[in-house]
Amino acid sequence: MVNIILIGPPGAGKGTNAKQISNFYSIPHISTGDMFREAIKNQTPLGNLAKTYIDKGLYVPDEVTINLVKERLSCDDCKNGYLLDGFPRTLAQAEALSIIGKELNRPITHVLDIIVSEDVLINRITGRLVCKKCGAPYHIDNHKPKVEGICDLCGGELVKRVDDNADTLIERLKQYHMQTEPLINYYKNLNLVYSIDGNQELSAVFNQIKSILGEIK
Ligand code: AP5
Ligand code: MG
């Protein structure tokens, strides 16, 4: 069984690889970013609150995010493994996750740290399009859909994310370095970290991930 965390800066390829890992290992893909965007689309109280932070590139408060993930990890479909994309992002979230994992007997087994250089990140974010319906990410040059403007997976319309602009990206990168990067050492101390070279082309990145998780299937 694999209970995975994907860590990496904005544009590292968390969502892209999460879709592939989730399909290959038949485990749910839990993206806090996607959950917040869905709530924003539906104009729920959670969505209205999250929007005030996401639009500025800031993190949504820990308490809100932790409760959301706790509820999701308690679902039955997580009992044979799960994949967290974009959670935890702060030390408080990592500590809460450790308690949740113990309570549910679903502790983290792998932390995949996707490493990508900053100039590559900027190109990936500025060229990204995402599916309005399922959130799947594409890229105008390196990951084109089969039919322009349409998601390969669900047929949804491809759009630009509201937070994919230069100003917000600078803030998102700053928050990542300040609040999330320290988690890599936190998990290194628990011997859970596997470094992934995210600068490689799409299939090479996924092959490296499979070579780490491979024997589990
Ligand atoms: P979130 O949606 O998680 O955004 P993020 O962390 O900024 O990461 P991205 O989704 O931008 O990048 P990614 O790593 O998924 O890259 P992708 O695969 O799309 O969070 C958004 C916001 O929600 C946060 O800013 C925060 O406000 C809030 N939030 C979420 N979680 C939170 C939490 N836990 N606590 C508090 N707040 C939270 O790839 C990018 C592009 O590159 C795509 O176009 C893709 O096609 C392309 N690409 C990917 N890999 C490759 C490759 N190997 N080669 C070439 N192109 C590639
Ligand atoms: Mg993503």
Side-chain angles (χ1 to χ4, degrees):
M1 183 167 66
V2 283
N3 299 328
I4 308 167
I5 293 172
L6 280 183
I7 288 194
K14 299 183 296 296
T16 303
N17 287 291
K19 293 268 177 217
Q20 298 195 68
I21 297 168
S22 164
N23 284 338
F24 192 79
Y25 292 96
S26 303
I27 53 174
H29 167 202
I30 302 168
S31 157
T32 39
D34 285 351
M35 288 160 101
F36 288 136
R37 279 184 288 278
E38 185 63 22
I40 291 171
K41 196 169 79 187
N42 295 327
Q43 297 184 349
T44 66
L46 170 71
N48 295 339
L49 174 83
K51 187 171 164 49
T52 62
Y53 293 92
I54 293 180
D55 284 357
K56 296 187 194 115
L58 299 172
Y59 287 173
V60 177
D62 283 335
E63 202 192 300
V64 175
T65 313
I66 290 165
N67 285 334
L68 189 70
V69 172
K70 186 172 182 181
E71 205 176 297
R72 183 64 188 86
L73 286 183
S74 311
C75 295
D76 232 30
D77 65 340
C78 295
K79 71 171 188 277
N80 295 321
Y82 58 83
L83 169 65
L84 287 168
D85 158 7
F87 182 95
R89 272 185 217 240
T90 64
L91 195 56
Q93 291 180 15
E95 285 167 348
L97 177 61
S98 156
I99 295 168
I100 296 166
K102 277 189 196 126
E103 278 173 6
L104 297 170
N105 199 18
R106 294 172 187 176
I108 294 302
T109 57
H110 296 75
V111 176
L112 305 180
D113 172 27
I114 309 183
I115 301 164
V116 180
S117 50
E118 206 123 309
D119 53 328
V120 174
L121 293 177
I122 294 163
N123 168 277
R124 286 194 188 165
I125 290 285
T126 48
R128 171 167 60 187
L129 293 172
V130 295
C131 175
K132 216 170 157 180
K133 219 158 123 191
C134 77
Y138 294 84
H139 192 276
I140 50 169
D141 299 318
N142 5 344
H143 183 195
K144 295 181 184 174
K146 289 185 189 115
V147 180
E148 200 184 322
I150 304 290
C151 177
D152 293 349
L153 303 177
C154 75
E157 183 194 350
L158 301 186
V159 294
K160 230 177 150 50
R161 248 170 63 176
V162 181
D163 58 345
D164 279 352
N165 60 72
D167 287 347
T168 313
L169 178 59
I170 290 169
E171 187 58 44
R172 282 158 66 198
L173 283 168
K174 195 171 123 195
Q175 294 299 323
Y176 174 79
H177 291 308
M178 256 169 36
Q179 303 206 60
T180 306
E181 219 164 33
L183 295 188
I184 297 162
N185 266 336
Y186 171 89
Y187 285 114
K188 273 189 179 160
N189 288 332
L190 300 171
N191 283 325
L192 291 174
V193 176
Y194 299 83
S195 299
I196 309 294
D197 177 5
N199 288 309
Q200 308 170 88
E201 54 129 351
L202 285 163
S203 60
V205 177
F206 185 52
N207 282 338
Q208 193 187 348
I209 292 175
K210 274 195 297 188
S211 73
I212 290 162
L213 303 175
E215 66 272 22
I216 292 137
K217 200 177 182 191

